[in-house]
Amino acid sequence: MTQLEAARKGQITPEMKRVAEKEKVSPEFIRDEIVAGRLIIPANINHLKFRLDPTGDRCRVSCKLNANIGNSATTSNLDQELEKLHMAVHYGSDTVMDLSTGGDLDAIRDAIVQASTVPVGTVPIYGALEKVNRPEELSWPIMRDEIEKTGQAGRRLFHDSRGRPQSAYPTDPEPHHRDCVARWLAHGAMVHCAQ
């Protein structure tokens, strides 16, 4: 059962109680905000098996801080990513986005989820692009499978990484991926996604 389903039934889950404790409000307030669509608790059940400490996000709760980390095929490794995660959480990050683009993406992402006490998000299209030779070959089934894998692995959030012109990101360390997404979109990704 999701947090929304429980809230709609009038139930207060342990995750709602924990968020209420952290926000210094009543569990009923948290439940009611979920029902009203003004609050979410990104607590993937597959991440709760590990170390996740649920947090509330959106309107009427404290502002949340996100930290971006990520492995590059040329500049970092798993130990460095776990150190980045530790530092981000230590200094107050409420969520972490793993923007890894190189190496064994699944192993990196799984290790980060297992070590993280905060919700973890990823960019599924990066994994999907590894399964094709050219961005134009990316299909909705491949993308859908990658998004489903994201949830099953305990990652609660994901970024859609819409393609933008490379010039919009003059210091972007991964312009190739933005170019790939743009090429996929130009090739007709919206047609695939609408089916």
Side-chain angles (χ1 to χ4, degrees), residues 22 33 38 56 67-68 81-82 98 116 132 135 154 180-181 189:
K22 290 166 77 172
E33 289 299 293
R38 292 186 295 258
N68 290 339
E81 296 314 307
L82 293 175
D98 171 31
S116 182
V132 297
C180 288
V181 174

Side-chain angles (χ1 to χ4, degrees), residues 2-191:
T2 67
Q3 298 296 316
L4 179 58
E5 290 168 334
R8 285 180 174 161
K9 292 180 179 182
Q11 299 173 3
I12 295 176
T13 66
E15 293 79 20
M16 290 179 209
K17 289 179 184 176
R18 177 62 181 139
V19 170
E21 178 185 322
K22 290 166 77 172
E23 297 289 340
K24 298 177 178 46
V25 297
S26 72
E28 292 79 13
F29 174 82
I30 297 298
R31 178 198 60 212
D32 294 346
E33 289 299 293
I34 291 170
V35 170
R38 292 186 295 258
L39 184 126
I40 63 167
I41 300 176
N44 184 307
I45 59 172
N46 294 316
H47 191 173
L48 286 169
K49 295 185 285 192
F50 300 108
R51 305 179 59 218
L52 179 65
D53 184 13
T55 191
D57 197 7
R58 298 294 185 261
C59 304
R60 304 182 83 178
V61 294
S62 60
C63 182
K64 301 298 183 266
L65 175 67
N66 177 65
N68 290 339
I69 64 175
N71 189 50
S72 167
T74 60
T75 60
S76 63
N77 60 45
L78 179 57
D79 291 336
Q80 289 175 334
E81 296 314 307
L82 293 175
E83 178 63 19
K84 290 177 195 176
L85 170 68
H86 170 74
M87 295 296 284
V89 173
H90 176 76
Y91 286 105
S93 182
D94 298 291
T95 61
V96 171
M97 284 298 293
D98 171 31
L99 305 178
S100 292
T101 59
D104 186 342
L105 294 181
D106 289 332
I108 293 164
R109 292 169 174 173
D110 289 346
I112 289 171
V113 166
Q114 291 171 21
S116 182
T117 58
V118 300
V120 174
T122 59
V123 186
I125 199 162
Y126 293 168
L129 285 169
E130 287 192 332
K131 294 173 176 54
V132 297
N133 293 319
R134 299 174 326 157
E136 296 85 358
E137 296 172 2
L138 187 59
S139 65
W140 171 240
I142 292 170
M143 190 67 209
R144 181 198 58 227
D145 292 349
E146 192 69 22
I147 291 169
E148 287 177 358
K149 184 170 67 171
T150 294
Q152 292 166 353
R155 301 171 222 135
R156 181 60 178 106
L157 314 162
F158 72 87
H159 179 62
D160 63 3
S161 191
R162 293 182 191 116
R164 295 190 178 110
Q166 184 172 336
S167 61
Y169 296 90
T171 60
D172 189 348
E174 300 295 344
H176 170 72
H177 287 90
R178 293 192 192 284
D179 178 58
C180 288
V181 174
R183 287 171 50 203
W184 179 56
L185 290 170
H187 185 69
M190 290 303 151
V191 173

